[in-house]
Amino acid sequence: MAQQVEAPRRVRLSRDRVLGAAVALADTAGIESLSMRKLAQELGVVPMALYKHVANKEELLDGMVDVVVGEIDPPVPGTGWRSAVRQRILSARRALLRHPWASRVLESRTNPTPLVLGYMDSMIGMFRAGGFSIDLTHHVMHAVGSRIFGFTQELFDDLPSVDPETQAIMPPEMARRYPYITELVMAVYHDEASVVGPGCDDQFEFEFALDLLLDGIERLRQQELTSTGGRS
């Protein structure tokens, strides 16, 4: 009697599987390549099967953001506010370095998901637990801005990182017309592996700006505690 060969069992589709495949596709091919049709091909299903798990592409993008935010380490208990905030923000940055498309998608979201709101709420809570008044916390969140998600919007977004070979053939006209820009471009070279999004936002610049902010924020906290007699 011929031995029957079982057909391979198809993995059941789920929201988590759809989101995981979408994140993997964006990681390897870029967010521009993501479409419901291409995602369905990756999963081996018809496009209509996806709509049982995500209503449309906007909901898909929201879910992908949730996947990335879910990779951020939780707060470290028992540490001071500055260390706790710094560690959390740098964990967010590591998540974005794993998913370079995520900063642009985060910026495009107009209605944060409950998971994103929960992350923002926990960041606010870390400042409040550190002795910040609600007023100072409000200002701090504005100052820190997108850094809580591990990236910054840089002044030099359109200024490319110039490698040493290109530096050697910089046109003299540029040096004469824009001497200080030329000086800056010639002086710096950024490791593209440490860049989240376009521009000069590399790891050193990110941590440098973050530490300046946190040091200044601590001084404001101390001033506020002094002026209120220690009441938060």
Side-chain angles (χ1 to χ4, degrees), residues 52-216:
K52 296 178 182 178
H53 306 283
V54 287
N56 48 45
K57 188 174 179 181
E58 289 304 302
E59 187 175 314
L60 175 67
L61 293 172
D62 283 342
M64 292 168 68
V65 167
D66 280 351
V67 170
V68 176
V69 172
E71 294 179 7
I72 301 173
D73 294 334
V76 179
T79 57
W81 76 267
R82 190 187 186 284
S83 293
V85 167
R86 190 178 193 276
Q87 290 169 10
R88 196 113 195 265
I89 288 176
L90 291 181
S91 175
R93 183 168 179 79
R94 288 192 294 273
L96 289 199
L97 286 169
R98 290 192 293 270
H99 311 289
W101 51 268
S103 61
R104 280 177 290 161
V105 177
L106 268 164
E107 287 178 301
S108 73
R109 301 298 84 198
T110 54
N111 296 307
T113 66
L115 188 66
V116 171
L117 288 173
Y119 173 72
M120 294 172 67
D121 185 75
S122 73
M123 293 298 297
I124 293 170
M126 292 167 75
F127 288 114
R128 294 290 285 140
F132 289 73
S133 69
I134 191 64
D135 184 59
L136 182 54
T137 299
H138 172 220
H139 296 312
V140 164
M141 291 298 288
H142 276 292
V144 175
S146 66
R147 283 185 181 85
I148 69 166
F149 291 109
F151 71 101
T152 55
Q153 296 177 343
E154 289 292 319
L155 174 63
F156 296 114
D157 278 352
D158 296 323
L159 191 65
S161 180
V162 180
D163 60 61
E165 289 184 8
T166 305
Q167 287 180 6
I169 56 173
M170 290 286 283
E173 302 82 44
M174 182 173 179
R176 285 194 297 269
R177 183 173 295 185
Y178 309 113
Y180 296 113
I181 292 178
T182 303
E183 179 185 39
L184 183 64
V185 169
M186 297 288 282
V188 298
Y189 176 66
H190 296 281
D191 177 9
E192 294 302 319
S194 70
V195 172
V196 171
C200 300
D201 180 20
D202 73 2
Q203 192 67 28
F204 179 83
E205 262 69 56
F206 185 87
E207 294 192 36
F208 180 81
L210 177 60
D211 288 337
L212 280 180
L213 275 170
L214 294 177
D215 289 344

